Amino acid sequence: MARHGKQIGIIGAGGIGSFYAMKLLNAGHRCVMVARGKRLGQLIESGLRVSHDTQLHKLPCPTACDLRQLFEHYTPGQFHALVLCTKSSATKELAGAIAGWFAQYNAVCPIISLQNGVDNEHVLAEVIPKDCVFGGLAVKIGAHLTADGSVEAKGPGELIIGPWPNGSPDRVPAKVITAFEQSGVPIKLSNNIQRELWLKLAINNGVNPLSALTGLDTRSLSREPPFAPIVYSLMREVAIAASADEVLLTHEDVDDMYHLIRSFDAIKTSMLVDYEQGRTLELDAICGAVMSRYQQLGIDAPYTRLVYALLSQMSGSEAQQ
Ligand SMILES: NC(=O)C1=CN([C@@H]2O[C@H](COP(=O)(O)OP(=O)(O)OC[C@H]3O[C@@H](n4cnc5c(N)ncnc54)[C@H](OP(=O)(O)O)[C@@H]3O)[C@@H](O)[C@H]2O)C=CC1
Ligand SMILES: CC(C)(CO)C(=O)C(=O)O
């Protein structure tokens, strides 16, 4: 068993996981990176390489292991938190594995999801004590793993974290807040993270599928015709979907999010990167989440349904809804 003080575990060493691990390690914080397959080999052989804005950060091999080794060598009590940075498709399996690890040691630690989508925390809370589940968002960031194992990142990578679905921000582990603050990561705490997740979903549903369909970045999509009004309509559909979860998103909220994505740097979305690399798209976590709420409400979301169907067809996966 690893015998050192508490640290932060980052599960998933792709664009987002590598970016936040780089920030923490650069500031002298200890963290364990959980990776698998080729990516684990890259971390062990070449260390962590992240180019962020104009700087290249090269760190020697961080503490990296796969999930099985994490569960074998560490107890939950050795972590300030585990930060989930995988795609949403991995959440269910991870939740079950973490629940088994908690049961094995009769101990728990906070789990913070930084994933896009509004259902990851719900999936976690089905098997993990709800008090341990925190929602989070990585905003103003584009961070992508390239074929050679380096990560290209753009933007400040602000974090918003809060107890899921809502609750006093005092419950967010203080050591995690301090570690990110000391690492230069702007961090905001929320007493209604479920609402923040829906606000972010408005952006993701607005730009991610269209970017995968067109190859365009967030700025071109949201500022220029013919796509800007379609982005806005896709975002509006999310506001209606949110009402099925009793989350109120007003016209002004949608306008604010639309303004945010229009005024921010041009970002290549994670869905476009996944599409280019032939990986599974987070379609169900983004458009699927909207469509399932529309189904509950008994109405149609024509814009979301169209982009979902087009992308399902293009990426070879069956349209489920
Ligand atoms: N990239 C971005 O700029 C942004 C992403 N996000 C969100 O953040 C989340 C992460 O995105 P991103 O970093 O792009 O994702 P990536 O696909 O780049 O990285 C996810 C990593 O997790 C790994 N992984 C999955 N399951 C396991 C497991 N059981 N054990 C170990 N490793 C595992 C994957 O490995 P493998 O390749 O083998 O599957 C992959 O290396 C997503 O929800 C995304 O929507 C939010 C804001 C911006
Ligand atoms: C909003 C955006 C485009 C960048 O933060 C994102 O979340 C993604 O690429 O998935």
Side-chain angles (χ1 to χ4, degrees):
M1 187 166 300
R3 290 179 190 277
H4 21 65
K6 280 198 182 191
Q7 46 194 327
I8 294 177
I10 304 270
I11 303 197
I16 288 294
S18 299
F19 174 76
Y20 289 107
M22 175 278 284
K23 297 294 278 182
L24 290 166
L25 290 165
N26 261 350
H29 292 283
R30 294 188 11 261
C31 64
V32 178
M33 293 185 79
V34 179
R36 64 182 177 187
K38 185 176 163 201
R39 181 63 183 140
L40 181 57
Q42 287 170 341
L43 287 172
I44 292 168
E45 278 155 35
S46 318
L48 189 57
R49 285 171 296 143
V50 181
S51 73
H52 180 218
D53 295 335
T54 54
Q55 262 190 299
L56 176 63
H57 302 270
K58 278 183 167 180
L59 289 105
C61 175
T63 307
C65 63
D66 65 20
L67 201 60
R68 189 183 50 79
Q69 292 164 329
L70 178 85
F71 295 158
E72 266 177 29
H73 300 312
Y74 296 87
T75 67
Q78 288 177 282
F79 290 95
H80 296 303
L82 292 186
V83 183
L84 286 201
C85 301
T86 67
K87 289 280 163 43
S88 306
S89 51
T91 308
K92 192 166 182 191
E93 200 181 320
L94 284 171
I98 293 169
W101 181 52
F102 283 3
Q104 184 189 339
Y105 288 102
N106 195 21
V108 296
C109 67
I111 308 293
I112 304 174
S113 161
L114 295 185
Q115 301 155 294
N116 281 335
V118 290
D119 293 319
N120 294 293
E121 293 75 10
H122 180 75
V123 169
L124 289 165
E126 273 177 354
V127 289
I128 287 170
K130 201 168 153 190
D131 280 3
C132 298
V133 179
F134 294 81
L137 298 83
V139 293
K140 300 183 186 163
I141 178 83
H144 306 299
L145 185 61
T146 63
D148 71 358
S150 62
V151 167
E152 286 170 7
K154 199 169 168 183
E158 181 180 312
L159 291 178
I160 308 178
I161 298 179
W164 188 84
N166 47 52
S168 168
D170 293 348
R171 286 185 38 221
V172 179
K175 296 276 186 194
V176 174
I177 303 171
T178 315
F180 280 118
E181 280 174 350
Q182 289 173 346
S183 307
V185 173
I187 179 163
K188 279 194 204 157
L189 303 179
S190 170
N191 60 9
N192 195 349
I193 197 71
Q194 189 184 24
R195 184 168 191 281
E196 299 288 348
L197 289 166
W198 274 101
L199 286 168
K200 174 94 194 278
L201 189 71
I203 291 185
N204 289 129
N205 198 52
V207 292
N208 287 28
L210 279 183
S211 71
L213 286 165
T214 61
L216 294 172
D217 62 51
T218 53
R219 185 170 257 255
S220 328
L221 282 172
S222 58
R223 286 175 85 101
E224 289 161 26
F227 294 111
I230 302 175
V231 168
Y232 187 71
S233 299
L234 284 159
M235 294 178 74
R236 287 285 302 274
E237 287 188 344
V238 177
I240 293 168
S243 68
D245 281 13
E246 294 177 7
V247 172
L248 175 68
L249 298 192
T250 62
H251 285 318
E252 290 73 33
D253 289 326
V254 175
D255 289 351
D256 287 350
M257 291 299 110
Y258 186 57
H259 177 71
L260 182 72
I261 197 72
R262 278 163 71 89
S263 54
F264 193 62
D265 296 349
I267 294 208
K268 185 169 185 175
T269 71
S270 54
M271 197 177 277
L272 173 54
V273 173
D274 287 341
Y275 184 71
E276 287 176 347
Q277 299 188 1
R279 298 194 303 219
T280 308
L281 308 184
E282 279 187 308
L283 258 189
D284 282 324
I286 296 176
C287 305
V290 176
M291 287 160 62
S292 66
R293 270 57 175 207
Y294 270 76
Q295 243 168 24
Q296 280 175 41
L297 296 167
I299 48 177
D300 186 27
Y303 287 92
T304 304
R305 185 162 52 80
L306 177 62
V307 292
Y308 183 96
L310 288 171
L311 272 174
S312 300
Q313 178 75 22
M314 283 169 59
S315 61
S317 61
E318 285 287 311
Q320 308 279 317
Q321 319 225 6

